[in-house]
Amino acid sequence: MNSDKIKEGPAGAAVRSLFYAMGYTRGEIDRPIIGIVNSQNEIVPGHMLLDRIASAAKAGVLMSGGTPIEFPAIGICDGIAMGHQGMKYPLASRELICDSIEAMTMAHQFDGLVLIPNCDKVVPGMLMAAARLNVPSIVVSGGAMRAGRANGNALDFNSIMEGIGAYKNGDVSEDELETLSENVCPGCGSCSGLFTANSMNCLTEALGMGLPYNGTALCDSGERIRIAKTAGVRIMELVRNDIRPRDILTIDAFRNAITVDMAMAGSTNTVLHLPAIAHEAGIELDLTVFDERSRITPYLAKISPSGTHHIEDLHDAGGIPALMNELAKKSLLETNARTVTGHTLGENIARSKVVDHNVIRAIGDPYRAQGGLAILRGNLAPDGAVVKESAVAEEMLVHSGPAVVFDSEDEAVRAIWDKEIRKGDVIVIRYEGPKGGPGMREMLGPTSSIAGMGMDKDVALLTDGRFSGASRGASIGHISPEAMNEGPIALVESGDMIDIDIPGRSLNLRLSGEELAKRREKLRLPEPKVKTGYLSRYARLVTSANTGAVLK
């Protein structure tokens, strides 16, 4: 065991003395030491109740003869960080989470890890750490929030964001907006739609790193506690059998995750996070894999923001195991892939059946023959861009319109609220990429304002930044190379015509190569927006969105 290096024999006496100081007995010291990595805090609804998960996981470890020792990880609430300078930090925090887990695990030589995340960047950050460290690990997430309810309608966080747009448009009063605010998030958990947090929690199952129903069992359910206890038991088996993350996180596992992603139209942020996790596992995951899987994967589950169902509905319909069982009927999954259960993926899902085909369509009756995300390329995005095709209005799948260019999200939001955007316009927001932002801010503000003002069927939005998993409409993000890396998006001028063809997978600026070359000669990049602190260091090291925005 790793911990034997520091605690056994006469040379380990000094280390044992420090354990004794904390109240551990010799018997506890001699057992496998399991790190319980808990991102609980009191500023994120998804993380508020994670102490319950940690306690259950510890109980499972104790039941199976290990010694659980808890240590913390940070977690940022994207919703609270949204729309101001704080949104520069969530994506960048992914690397801090990964690095801090590495530091704690290597310094203390844990024998195994139970990783407890719940929200957007924490899930991939912890999976990245597992892949990097390659110490036996299992992920148990905190669980989804229930959908809000008002006037017989299901609500989620996106409802209040679009409500702000409706208020700015004069369609609802301030009192009505406040009533909506009180009802959209009825309790703790990761926000109830298939936004980034729940997308990644679900894909953790598909990767094989979480137990069945890790992605959909609700935060306040007894089932969630049972999953956590079982995770504590399973980590001991993983340690005893020396089964490590890289035994599970193979290229087949990533193909499975991408296939599930396409079948349920997960957040576009998954296209950032899966390559980053793969990078830590020593696997290069190119955007072409996403497009290849999208073209052959039927779209089976239409969850908010693409549809009206929520995570609780997906769970009640059979969850991710039932969705995967449908996909396996057409041999779309690598069913021999290993998982933390000790069984193959195929064995895990063999008896999982869809119980509500209104939520999870049968494989022969999909919403569409192709998946929910699309990768676009063209002279505006030579290295690729991503869009949640399933959340785009039919009228906007193919669109041409004049560019309206902004050099920051803030400028764009002001213009939208001041009603300066016209039907048919293509809003371009640049210098918001990983390096230019820095931090690649999520832009739920602009997209939800456009939707709330009733323009999501008339206006497209392009950016080298990214979108919240709650975004809908013709919102095309991750345009690479980004403006700060002198990508073509830096050359766009207001009035230029932009051609979008999502089914044809193309995104083009209607300009000749000669004109683009002339503009490039005149291009002068702006000064970095942040020149000190962590974000300054991050901007110097971060790579392009099409490679997962990892640090090199």
Side-chain angles (χ1 to χ4, degrees), residues 27-111:
E28 289 175 299
I29 297 169
D30 287 342
R31 296 172 190 155
I33 305 297
I34 306 300
I36 309 294
V37 190
N38 186 4
S39 57
Q40 190 273 341
N41 61 46
E42 296 181 352
I43 193 63
V44 186
H47 292 215
M48 185 79 173
L49 302 182
L50 290 187
D51 279 354
R52 297 168 67 242
I53 304 300
S55 294
K58 287 186 209 178
V61 171
L62 288 167
M63 285 191 293
S64 296
T67 298
I69 298 180
E70 185 176 341
F71 65 89
I74 64 169
I76 292 174
C77 179
D78 285 39
I80 295 174
M82 191 78 64
H84 57 88
Q85 295 303 301
M87 186 39 82
K88 295 179 183 293
Y89 285 89
L91 181 60
S93 76
R94 186 187 71 180
E95 319 309 309
L96 287 174
I97 292 162
C98 180
D99 290 350
S100 64
I101 294 171
E102 175 192 351
M104 289 293 288
T105 302
M106 296 304 294
H108 303 107
Q109 292 296 295
F110 288 104
D111 297 304

Side-chain angles (χ1 to χ4, degrees), residues 182-257:
E182 291 169 354
N183 285 281
V184 295
C185 297
C188 288
S190 48
C191 292
S192 57
L194 192 61
F195 311 147
T196 306
N198 287 326
S199 295
M200 290 305 304
N201 286 329
C202 289
L203 295 187
T204 298
E205 285 186 53
L207 285 168
M209 288 297 294
L211 295 172
Y213 308 104
N214 175 76
T216 57
L218 295 181
C219 172
D220 59 2
S221 66
E223 182 179 11
R224 176 58 60 179
I225 300 301
R226 295 195 300 273
I227 290 171
K229 286 180 182 175
T230 305
V233 172
R234 282 304 311 161
I235 189 60
M236 295 303 299
E237 290 301 312
L238 295 172
V239 169
R240 291 183 182 117
N241 295 317
D242 196 30
I243 298 173
R244 298 170 181 262
R246 292 192 188 186
D247 298 324
I248 295 168
L249 292 172
T250 64
I251 187 61
D252 284 348
F254 286 100
R255 289 195 185 105
N256 286 340

